[in-house]
Amino acid sequence: ETAPAFLSVWDMHSYYGESYIVQGISFNVHEGEILALLGRNGAGKTTTLRSIARVSSPQVTHGEIWLDHQPLHNMSSYQAAQAGIGLVPEDRRIISGLTVEENLQLAQIAPPIGWSLDRLYELFPRLAERRKQDGVTLSGGEQQMLAVARALARDIKVLLLDEPYEGLAPVIVDEIEKTLRIIKEQGITTVIVEQNAVRALELADRAVILDTGSIVFDASASEVLENESLRTEYLAI
Ligand code: ATP
């Protein structure tokens, strides 16, 4: 017998209106692990993250989602957030007119409260330097850091990252990758969706590859990196 997975998705089906997107997927993420969720454009990666976070669209019509023994599949997005889901969407959603610090404090209004400002600033020194700056005037990389910090400002168990490296220079990607490794050491479980599959696989322990809403591969990250036909067929790397 093996211990139940920390985050478990079982036979999940999701629709946008009539469009059938996620077509019955099952996968597990173990506690403290980083899972890369990969696949071509339109494969259903974002839809999978949104389904887990219980965002109202897409609609999950069938399946189960469990986090640390709690069933998420009947929860609202607010309840899922309280249960420990931290979704960092692709567009980052930094609130304009609020400073870096106010963006973080806003996340700490609703319990359960997570990491303290001091702890967040220690992890993201760039945000500490810019704490009084309007959040939307940050660089793309700094905004990504703020979006991750804001998720941690709540008491989350799982970080769901949607394309965190998009549009960022390699040196900034290095910096964010380093931070994600520290976050892992602190016990947070992560699911990362990335077009930059090589960078995601370097960071991840395991990888799940989606194609047209179904899982075509689920293995260790190194197995994916070593599998030439898989790389060319599904990841174009
Ligand atoms: P990408 O890397 O391009 O973001 P993805 O794997 O994240 O791809 P999704 O964003 O999950 O893919 O999209 C999967 C499919 O769902 C696509 O065909 C897309 O057009 C469709 N889709 C996404 N959002 C909506 C929506 N709000 N309404 C209808 N269809 C949608």
Side-chain angles (χ1 to χ4, degrees):
E1 269 187 44
T2 52
F6 192 61
L7 173 66
S8 186
V9 171
W10 173 250
D11 199 21
M12 184 173 77
H13 299 249
S14 310
Y15 287 77
Y16 288 113
E18 304 272 285
S19 303
Y20 184 31
I21 308 295
V22 172
Q23 308 189 348
I25 64 171
S26 305
F27 63 94
N28 291 320
V29 193
H30 299 288
E31 188 167 13
E33 186 175 57
I34 300 180
L35 178 86
L37 185 58
L38 305 173
R40 289 189 276 244
N41 284 324
K45 305 180 295 292
T46 297
T47 308
T48 299
L49 293 188
R50 290 173 63 85
S51 300
I52 295 169
R54 307 298 303 128
V55 179
S56 58
S57 170
Q59 204 189 351
V60 179
T61 58
H62 187 270
E64 294 184 9
I65 307 158
W66 292 81
L67 173 61
D68 195 13
H69 310 285
Q70 302 170 91
L72 301 188
H73 38 273
N74 293 320
M75 288 187 184
S76 66
S77 57
Y78 178 70
Q79 291 168 328
Q82 285 193 314
I85 293 287
L87 175 66
V88 179
E90 197 172 350
D91 63 8
R92 297 163 190 152
R93 303 274 166 88
I94 306 304
I95 299 172
S96 90
L98 297 189
T99 65
V100 166
E101 190 146 300
E102 287 163 346
N103 266 278
L104 295 173
Q105 285 169 329
L106 194 62
Q108 290 183 321
I109 288 174
I113 294 165
W115 295 25
S116 67
L117 284 179
D118 284 349
R119 193 171 169 204
L120 292 169
Y121 287 147
E122 195 183 325
L123 183 64
F124 297 103
R126 275 169 178 262
L127 296 181
E129 290 162 21
R130 292 166 179 79
R131 67 177 78 189
K132 301 294 177 207
Q133 191 175 325
D134 190 313
V136 292
T137 65
L138 297 175
S139 71
E142 290 159 359
Q143 285 195 28
Q144 185 60 47
M145 292 172 198
L146 178 55
V148 174
R150 195 178 47 186
L152 294 170
R154 296 190 297 98
D155 188 24
I156 62 164
K157 293 175 178 168
V158 174
L159 197 53
L160 304 178
L161 300 173
D162 198 354
E163 310 250 8
Y165 301 156
E166 192 185 20
L168 305 182
V171 55
I172 306 295
V173 172
D174 289 343
E175 203 177 321
I176 292 176
E177 186 182 289
K178 208 172 111 198
T179 309
L180 294 175
R181 288 185 198 279
I182 297 170
I183 292 169
K184 174 187 161 121
E185 283 166 17
Q186 306 278 317
I188 304 284
T189 305
T190 297
V191 179
I192 178 172
V193 163
E194 245 314 314
Q195 282 304 321
N196 194 337
V198 173
R199 295 301 301 250
L201 288 165
E202 283 166 4
L203 173 70
D205 301 293
R206 280 196 316 118
V208 163
I209 301 181
L210 274 179
D211 191 46
T212 54
S214 298
I215 292 175
V216 292
F217 203 76
D218 180 341
S220 70
S222 53
E223 276 176 82
V224 176
L225 279 168
E226 286 159 15
N227 188 326
E228 182 115 25
S229 61
L230 201 67
R231 291 173 48 149
T232 37
E233 186 166 0
Y234 298 108
L235 306 177
I237 55 174

